[in-house]
Amino acid sequence: MTAEQSGIRYQRVRAPRSHGEVLVQPSPLIAERLIAENRSKLAAAGNRPLGYGDVELDTIRLQAREDILRIAREHTSSYRDVSDVPASDAPVIMTGHQPALYHPGVWFKNFLADRIAAHVQGIAINVIIDNDVAPTPSISALTGTPDDPRPTRIAYDQPGPRVAWEMTHAQSIETLRSFAERVEKTFQPFVANPLVTQFWPQVIAGVEADKPLGLAFSAARNDLEASFGLHILDVPLSSLCQTEWFCRVVGCILMNSRGYRGVYNQSVQQYRDVHKIRSTSHPVPDLGADENWGEVPFWVWTKENASRRGLWVSGSDDQMTLSDQAGWQIKLPCDQDLPSRLQQLTSQGIYIRPRALMTTTILRLVASDLFIHGIGGAKYDQVTDEINRQFFSFEPPEYVTATATANLPIDVHLKSSDDLQEIEGRLRDAEFNPQRAIDGVMGDGPNWQSLLEQKMRLIANVPNFPEKRLWHRQLEEVNSKLRNQIAEPVARLRIERDEVVSQLHQKQLLTSREYSLLLFPEDGLRNLLLDLAEKEI
């Protein structure tokens, strides 16, 4: 199949640039219709085998729904009241992200999911994607003053092993405990009373209770959401990976790894062709093959070696061997108990977790009625959709793309890129059209007027070749004399340009949308995100 025959199309999706702007697609967002259409698509495909042992999609979805709601309630109720969650047959509106200290544009997805759920009397669930590798333990911030801002990073922990969030625990409780105070002190010239003050004590409590760092972050964030009036539940992906239905989906992919790998790699290449991407690592690397081994879209690590590795499978109809191609492997019989054996691996210190495209395949086909992506996930899920069309042979459900831009509440009165463009134009004129560069500076001086008259005569009498070479030299001599006449104002103009460049750099720092939600004041950010989400319903 060519890229033109597939469902993959070029998408130009960009985050909104200005404070208070949102990107929500489709627009207008008619949630009831999307949910109804998605449920209809999934019902029509309900008899398609999606789980090991040819278990059908309908059965997998029923099992998944029961488990997800139970686990989400249990998880969230460990730190706040969840008695107001709707009945279990309500539509599930789902989103998800890594448990990082992310910017408000990411957080907006939770607000939108909650508002949609309230509108359709559904249940909003945020999946904590704790199988991704935790980043460097610090956040971007500013130091200095609003008139002289400088970028900095503030550490919330000391660096530790580069492992999944699920396996990441605090390395330095002292660094963690001092984080909020250090943020407040550094950021005080920019924002008074940032959210970190309210947020951080619960993080410390979670860590002291031996929670992984990501779950401590997520509990503090979700508890804050509840204080804002949101009812969205949290559920860790790692918990879903230990359910029977999830392991049935894993078993289905393992048993059909050759066919799945072919569809997966073909769909990834179609995306590269449509978007003119040369890199073989984008949007995701191909799944590999080596003699009797084939790579599958899952990660594996062990308690002894917690670094994520690709999962490979080899075997026959009777037995499969799983390996990381780096020394670890395990043999499993391909009998009716395979899902149960996969389910028990975590308790044995073996962790099998889905990669990005498989994660959204499971969350969208099995776990939800409507899924909300950010920009990155929405782009790459074109690949997921194509894989699902080709491998499972049905049209996948639609999803929503959502993000927002929030700037720190700092008054910014600086030059704009238009000002720089105007100065750059005048400096170009100083080189080639000096008479236009410095308006009114030279006045009616006789020397200046004489040079202008010489230039006008030359321009009015352009000779043919070969006399044109002499003419060009004469024109350049006149321009050079004109430039000499305006040397001082041009120097001042260059100084002005440098000042504007400096101001634009300051403006870029002050208006970045990438700062953690912890740096914002509570009231302003809460009201903004609630209002923006409500307007989209």
Side-chain angles (χ1 to χ4, degrees):
M1 177 183 294
T2 66
E4 289 75 16
Q5 295 171 316
S6 79
I8 297 175
R9 300 289 181 266
Y10 177 78
Q11 283 188 331
R12 182 179 175 84
V13 184
R14 297 289 185 271
R17 298 181 64 181
S18 300
H19 175 74
E21 291 183 352
V22 301
L23 169 72
V24 175
Q25 295 178 345
S27 181
L29 175 59
I30 306 174
E32 300 97 323
R33 186 174 70 189
L34 279 176
I35 292 167
E37 290 174 353
N38 284 349
R39 283 184 158 184
S40 177
K41 286 180 181 179
L42 293 166
N47 61 351
R48 301 294 171 85
L50 195 78
Y52 180 80
D54 290 334
V55 175
E56 296 176 347
L57 175 62
D58 271 347
T59 302
I60 293 284
R61 277 182 60 84
L62 285 172
Q63 293 174 344
R65 182 184 188 88
E66 181 179 338
D67 278 348
I68 290 167
L69 295 180
R70 173 181 55 80
I71 296 170
R73 284 191 177 99
E74 289 174 356
H75 174 81
T76 310
S77 66
S78 69
Y79 53 83
R80 71 171 179 86
D81 178 60
V82 296
S83 58
D84 55 358
V85 175
S88 59
D89 59 347
V92 173
I93 316 304
M94 185 171 281
T95 187
H97 204 79
Q98 301 89 343
L101 303 174
Y102 42 62
H103 63 79
V106 174
W107 203 16
F108 173 68
K109 294 186 299 177
N110 291 26
F111 286 74
L112 184 62
D114 182 85
R115 293 297 85 200
I116 292 174
H119 185 67
V120 301
Q121 296 182 310
I123 302 170
I125 297 178
N126 170 67
V127 180
I128 303 166
I129 308 298
D130 55 355
N131 59 335
D132 274 3
V133 173
T136 301
S138 63
I139 64 168
S140 295
L142 295 171
T143 187
T145 67
D147 293 330
D148 183 23
R150 298 183 299 279
T152 190
R153 297 196 69 85
I154 305 175
Y156 54 77
D157 195 10
Q158 294 300 312
R162 293 276 293 162
V163 295
W165 278 106
E166 178 182 354
M167 309 298 289
T168 300
H169 288 262
Q171 301 295 304
S172 169
I173 192 66
E174 292 79 13
T175 303
L176 198 76
R177 284 175 176 152
S178 67
F179 175 69
E181 182 181 350
R182 287 183 285 114
V183 170
E184 289 181 83
K185 182 178 179 181
T186 302
F187 218 61
Q188 190 277 331
F190 302 94
V191 174
N193 302 316
L195 260 173
V196 68
T197 307
Q198 177 181 347
F199 187 97
W200 209 247
Q202 189 164 340
V203 172
I204 294 172
V207 169
E208 289 176 341
D210 203 32
K211 283 184 179 180
L213 197 54
L215 292 191
F217 289 168
S218 296
R221 185 255 313 142
N222 187 248
D223 195 52
L224 188 63
E225 290 166 350
S227 75
F228 292 172
L230 275 62
H231 304 286
I232 188 167
L233 302 176
D234 264 8
V235 63
L237 180 62
S238 55
S239 296
L240 303 185
C241 292
Q242 299 172 56
T243 58
E244 194 266 350
W245 62 266
F246 179 89
C247 292
R248 281 203 175 274
V249 176
V250 175
C252 174
I253 301 301
L254 293 176
M255 291 299 294
N256 297 279
S257 62
R258 184 186 297 272
Y260 191 89
R261 183 175 67 252
V263 170
Y264 184 103
N265 290 348
Q266 181 186 51
S267 300
V268 169
Q269 187 56 51
Q270 288 166 2
Y271 184 92
R272 292 183 189 130
D273 291 343
V274 168
H275 291 83
K276 304 186 186 308
I277 297 172
R278 291 187 176 183
S279 170
T280 56
S281 62
H282 289 88
V284 292
D286 288 349
L287 296 175
D290 182 14
E291 297 182 352
N292 296 324
W293 291 94
E295 194 175 14
V296 286
F298 297 92
W299 299 112
V300 64
W301 66 83
T302 63
K303 192 172 183 179
E304 293 75 24
N305 181 3
S307 297
R308 293 192 318 180
R309 287 95 70 193
L311 182 65
W312 295 68
V313 61
S314 178
S316 62
D317 291 339
D318 300 324
Q319 179 177 269
M320 69 173 63
T321 303
L322 304 181
S323 172
D324 64 356
Q325 297 291 72
W328 172 86
Q329 67 177 35
I330 188 173
K331 296 182 184 296
L332 297 172
C334 299
D335 57 17
Q336 64 180 6
D337 294 325
L338 177 64
S340 296
R341 291 191 177 93
L342 291 169
Q343 194 175 358
Q344 295 164 11
L345 290 180
T346 297
S347 65
Q348 300 168 19
I350 299 168
Y351 303 80
I352 293 177
R353 302 294 186 255
R355 298 193 191 186
L357 301 187
M358 180 53 62
T359 297
T360 54
T361 292
I362 293 170
L363 296 183
R364 289 177 54 212
L365 297 189
V366 176
S368 65
D369 296 299
L370 181 64
F371 194 85
I372 301 175
H373 266 307
I375 289 178
K379 285 182 178 179
Y380 293 166
D381 244 20
Q382 284 194 89
V383 181
T384 307
D385 283 352
E386 192 61 24
I387 293 170
N388 294 334
R389 289 187 191 100
Q390 300 304 318
F391 187 77
F392 295 116
S393 301
F394 66 87
E395 190 64 25
E398 297 296 323
Y399 55 84
V400 172
T401 306
T403 189
T405 291
N407 294 151
L408 293 166
I410 302 170
D411 289 333
V412 179
H413 303 290
L414 298 170
K415 297 288 188 178
S416 69
S417 56
D418 290 340
D419 296 313
L420 179 62
Q421 187 175 4
E422 190 269 336
I423 292 174
E424 295 283 10
R426 291 169 66 188
L427 286 172
R428 283 192 298 273
D429 279 342
E431 181 67 24
F432 301 106
N433 295 286
Q435 73 281 3
R436 294 204 311 236
I438 313 295
D439 295 335
V441 168
M442 302 312 298
D444 298 324
N447 195 25
W448 179 259
Q449 289 300 320
S450 174
L451 289 170
L452 288 181
E453 290 170 4
Q454 291 179 49
K455 183 171 183 176
M456 293 304 102
R457 285 195 298 270
L458 286 167
I459 291 174
N461 297 281
V462 181
N464 296 321
F465 187 83
E467 291 83 1
K468 196 170 184 179
R469 185 173 299 173
L470 174 61
W471 173 89
H472 188 274
R473 188 165 60 245
Q474 291 173 334
L475 182 62
E476 178 52 36
E477 288 174 356
V478 172
N479 274 335
S480 177
K481 292 176 181 178
L482 286 169
R483 284 194 293 270
N484 289 336
Q485 293 282 311
I486 61 172
E488 185 176 339
V490 166
R492 290 196 297 269
L493 194 59
R494 290 196 175 100
I495 292 171
E496 184 180 352
R497 178 192 58 188
D498 293 344
E499 290 174 349
V500 172
V501 169
S502 177
Q503 287 192 28
L504 289 177
H505 178 64
Q506 293 177 26
K507 186 175 183 179
Q508 184 179 30
L509 289 173
L510 294 171
T511 61
S512 170
R513 69 189 298 269
E514 301 299 322
Y515 294 117
S516 169
L517 61 93
L518 298 186
L519 300 180
F520 289 74
E522 176 185 340
D523 290 346
L525 188 57
R526 176 194 60 210
N527 295 338
L528 174 69
L529 296 181
L530 282 171
D531 289 348
L532 293 178
E534 194 66 48
K535 287 176 182 176
E536 294 300 319
I537 305 304

